[in-house]
């Protein structure tokens, strides 16, 4: 009788240990699968060589952001898998930033560098009859680094984003400009060097 009880107890202990081991393996598999899914998602969501427009309005039918006001829209050129350039447009002064970004799940974390470049229209060039005055003046300044976060916004399978801060803004692929032409223009104006990028 005692022998049967011992065998039964040993069997129960073995069963409990086996169940716990299976449970641990299942949990470990879930964690590994979750990490793989995150990595896979990050691979799928690539912004490299893409030009986005950030603006306060969003057309959900065409999945496009837009801004019909002065000083309210920006372009973001994602140079590769970690670097970006941002241009804030204003009537007579455009401001250029650079920084690094990271994709994490459904968010894009953008960290801006401290160097900024102001491109100002040179009003004296309009009255310059001998063309000695440049059309634009460039000023390089230092500012505090700062960060912003974009959250993915699903719109007909397009990669659009929403930025929430002082004001809500939306980002979508800029269909009016190509990333290649945009980058060439930046290089032509010497802005890549001015922003300390190579």
């Amino acid at each position: 009788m005692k022998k049967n009880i011992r065998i039964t107890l040993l069997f129960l202990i073995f069963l409990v240990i086996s169940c716990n081991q299976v449970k641990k393996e299942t949990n470990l598999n879930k964690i590994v699968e979750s990490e793989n899914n995150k990595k896979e998602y990050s691979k799928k969501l690539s912004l490299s060589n893409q030009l986005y427009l950030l603006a306060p309005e969003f057309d959900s039918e065409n999945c496009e952001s837009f801004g019909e006001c002065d000083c309210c829209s920006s372009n973001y050129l994602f140079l590769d898998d970690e670097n970006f350039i941002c241009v804030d447009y204003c009537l007579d002064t455009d401001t250029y930033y650079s920084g690094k970004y990271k994709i994490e799940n459904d968010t894009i974390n953008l960290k801006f560098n401290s160097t900024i470049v102001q491109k100002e229209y040179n009003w004296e060039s309009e009255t310059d009859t001998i063309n000695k005055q440049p059309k634009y003046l460039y000023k390089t300044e230092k500012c505090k680094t700062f960060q912003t976060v974009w959250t993915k916004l699903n719109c007909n399978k397009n990669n659009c984003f929403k930025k929430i801060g002082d004001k809500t803004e939306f980002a979508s692929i800029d269909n009016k400009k190509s990333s290649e032409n945009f980058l060439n223009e930046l290089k032509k104006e010497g802005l890549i060097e001015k922003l300390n990028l190579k």
Side-chain angles (χ1 to χ4, degrees):
M1 181 79 175
K2 286 185 179 181
K3 191 175 183 183
N4 285 343
I5 293 173
R6 282 186 189 157
I7 291 172
T8 306
L9 279 173
L10 284 173
F11 177 74
L12 286 173
I13 290 169
F14 174 76
L15 190 63
V16 167
I17 290 170
S18 297
C19 287
N20 282 340
Q21 187 63 32
V22 168
K23 192 174 180 182
K24 282 180 186 175
E25 285 176 9
T26 304
N27 287 340
L28 184 61
N29 288 340
K30 282 182 183 176
I31 290 167
V32 169
E33 190 179 311
S34 173
E35 288 301 314
N36 288 339
N37 286 343
K38 284 178 187 175
K39 286 177 186 173
E40 195 61 37
Y41 179 79
S42 293
K43 284 179 192 171
K44 285 183 200 170
L45 182 60
S46 174
L47 301 178
S48 182
N49 299 313
Q50 292 185 30
L51 182 66
Y52 274 77
L53 177 70
L54 182 74
E57 305 295 329
F58 189 73
D59 176 358
S60 56
E61 193 173 311
N62 296 309
C63 301
E64 288 182 347
S65 54
F66 64 96
E68 297 179 348
C69 51
D70 185 37
C71 305
C72 69
S73 65
S74 307
N75 268 126
Y76 282 76
L77 175 63
F78 295 94
L79 298 165
D80 49 38
D81 289 326
E82 64 175 353
N83 296 291
F84 71 91
I85 293 176
C86 165
V87 185
D88 282 343
Y89 298 105
C90 239
L91 190 61
D92 58 356
T93 305
D94 295 336
T95 306
Y96 295 77
Y97 304 87
S98 65
K100 295 199 176 291
Y101 74 97
K102 194 173 183 183
I103 299 171
E104 292 179 347
N105 298 328
D106 282 345
T107 60
I108 312 298
N109 295 301
L110 301 109
K111 185 175 182 182
F112 291 76
N113 296 331
S114 60
T115 302
I116 64 168
V117 177
Q118 301 264 344
K119 176 185 172 182
E120 296 178 6
Y121 184 76
N122 184 7
W123 294 100
E124 290 181 19
S125 67
E126 291 189 0
T127 57
D128 181 16
T129 54
I130 53 174
N131 293 326
K132 279 197 168 183
Q133 291 287 332
K135 191 171 181 180
Y136 295 102
L137 301 171
Y138 297 89
K139 293 179 186 172
T140 303
E141 299 174 4
K142 292 284 183 185
C143 68
K144 278 188 176 180
T145 62
F146 61 97
Q147 296 183 37
T148 60
V149 177
W150 292 4
T151 305
K152 194 166 185 300
L153 182 68
N154 290 319
C155 185
N156 300 332
K157 297 184 180 177
N158 292 299
N159 286 330
C160 299
F161 300 92
K162 187 177 188 178
K163 176 190 157 203
I164 299 171
D166 299 340
K167 55 187 177 181
T168 301
E169 294 174 285
F170 303 91
S172 66
I173 290 282
D174 192 328
N175 294 318
K176 295 185 173 95
K177 303 173 187 173
S178 79
S179 58
E180 189 180 345
N181 289 345
F182 190 83
L183 180 58
N184 287 338
E185 197 59 39
L186 293 175
K187 287 178 178 175
K188 192 172 145 185
E189 292 185 56
L191 287 157
I192 301 293
E193 291 78 18
K194 287 178 175 69
L195 288 166
N196 299 321
L197 297 170
K198 293 180 182 179

